Amino acid sequence: MKPVISELTTNAYAKINLSLDILGTRPDGYHEVCMIMQSLVLHDTLTLRITDGSGISMTCSDTSLPADETNLAYRAADLFCKTYTIADGISIHLEKVIPVAAGLAGGSSDAAAVLRGLNTMYGSPATPEELAALGVTLGADIPYCLMLGTVLSEGIGEKLTPLPPAPDFYCLLVKPSAGASTKQIYTEYDSLVQTESIPHPDTEALLSALKKRNRKALVSGLCNVLEPVTVKLVPEIDTIKNTLRTFGAEGVLMSGSGPTVFALFSDVAKSKRAEAHMRETGYASGTFFTSFYRPAK
């Protein structure tokens, strides 16, 4: 297969969970989920090039990240090339902005951007459905990261339903200095849910809020079943949430398995004051000011 474009630069957008519910565990060990996902303007940037020779090479602006076959972006390129019998050399450069291990799907989004980019460079041999089917073999969030926007995600994350766009908010992300592994959090959840009552999101109420563009109902319905688990491991999450509320955040929630907390504001001045304060405290390893991303139709 011959390329139609020799070089392409594309963005990989972060995501947050407006809700995250776990419905149970499947026989294969995966968790059955029901989530409302929202993409953000915050993004990594990937540059893909066709090179002489063969094989995949990768560089990354964040030298703490691997740039080999353990990186999801590299693995996505390898999978695409093997699936569509591509013999060209492919180079990937990743400009990393989305914080790592933060519950923002940075790695999944990078992989999705590579799949989407290579598909464009080679004349779109894969349909959107085929690209998503490839992606889910690498990570459950990748099909969503290919679609973007406001989306209901079910199954293990591969069953996607586009939703009415969420109302506009300024979004402040605060990542605590401490963290915990996703595997550990899900294991702890499975144990905790046996002995404690964990609040679950009212997904139907949130879907109604989106349909009616009801800002108040949307922010009051934010809920993540993994948050109580991660808070036990990273108690700073609660401190960050409470502090953000004192600065006028209308809704605050941990994204994904954490530990990043997002705060939604209608008032940009309040969000900027909150960001400045969080930077001065010792609770956060990073703060990121962004907003909701709306993909082009």
Side-chain angles (χ1 to χ4, degrees):
M1 183 174 293
K2 297 296 182 183
V4 296
I5 302 171
S6 61
E7 181 175 330
L8 182 145
T9 298
T10 185
N11 293 335
Y13 295 93
K15 67 82 188 168
I16 55 174
N17 298 79
L18 300 178
S19 71
L20 192 162
D21 200 5
I22 296 176
L23 307 181
T25 306
R26 304 183 345 165
D28 60 8
Y30 280 98
H31 288 80
E32 193 84 17
V33 297
C34 181
M35 308 181 288
I36 297 177
M37 315 274 266
Q38 175 61 52
S39 47
L40 302 175
V41 171
L42 181 73
H43 63 273
D44 296 339
T45 303
L46 293 101
T47 300
L48 310 174
R49 294 186 181 92
I50 309 300
T51 64
D52 295 333
S54 61
I56 296 159
S57 60
M58 183 176 178
T59 56
C60 181
S61 62
D62 184 346
T63 56
S64 70
L65 289 178
D68 55 22
E69 63 276 1
T70 62
N71 189 296
L72 266 181
Y74 185 109
R75 291 170 60 198
D78 184 57
L79 178 61
F80 187 90
C81 290
K82 287 177 178 175
T83 302
Y84 293 99
T85 321
I86 292 166
D88 300 312
I90 305 290
S91 77
I92 304 166
H93 178 68
L94 169 59
E95 281 293 321
K96 194 67 187 167
V97 176
I98 302 170
V100 178
L104 302 172
S108 294
S109 191
D110 293 340
V114 168
L115 291 174
R116 189 168 50 240
L118 288 177
N119 197 46
T120 298
M121 293 170 74
Y122 282 90
S124 300
T127 65
E129 294 76 18
E130 289 167 341
L131 215 55
L134 274 185
V136 78
T137 67
L138 297 173
D141 281 341
I142 294 175
Y144 166 73
C145 293
L146 287 162
M147 179 177 284
L148 301 173
T150 312
V151 175
L152 177 67
S153 173
E154 299 175 282
I156 63 168
E158 85 287 8
K159 298 176 184 176
L160 303 174
T161 306
L163 299 174
D168 288 321
F169 284 99
Y170 300 105
C171 182
L172 177 61
L173 305 173
V174 181
K175 184 185 177 187
S177 302
S181 75
T182 297
K183 182 178 180 180
Q184 179 186 13
I185 290 162
Y186 273 92
T187 300
E188 293 287 339
Y189 172 85
D190 290 337
S191 298
L192 191 65
V193 77
Q194 303 299 323
T195 58
E196 295 187 25
S197 177
I198 295 177
H200 288 259
D202 186 340
T203 303
E204 289 304 318
L206 282 166
L207 294 176
S208 176
L210 286 169
K211 184 176 180 180
K212 296 175 181 177
R213 297 189 64 78
N214 186 325
R215 300 171 69 86
K216 185 175 181 180
L218 180 65
V219 296
S220 66
L222 299 175
C223 184
N224 180 344
V225 297
L226 294 178
E227 187 177 89
V229 181
T230 310
V231 166
K232 287 179 180 292
L233 303 169
V234 187
E236 293 92 335
I237 290 170
D238 265 348
T239 304
I240 290 168
K241 289 182 65 179
N242 291 333
T243 302
L244 290 168
R245 288 191 184 100
T246 68
F247 279 85
E250 295 161 55
V252 290
L253 190 69
M254 185 189 80
S255 183
S257 59
T260 300
V261 173
F262 68 86
L264 303 182
F265 295 84
S266 296
D267 186 321
V268 67
K270 289 180 179 179
S271 64
K272 290 292 189 179
R273 284 194 292 270
E275 182 181 28
H277 177 79
M278 295 311 304
R279 285 183 173 179
E280 293 169 1
T281 70
Y283 292 114
S285 65
T287 62
F288 304 83
F289 179 76
T290 186
S291 56
F292 290 178
Y293 174 73
R294 305 193 186 288
K297 297 296 183 184

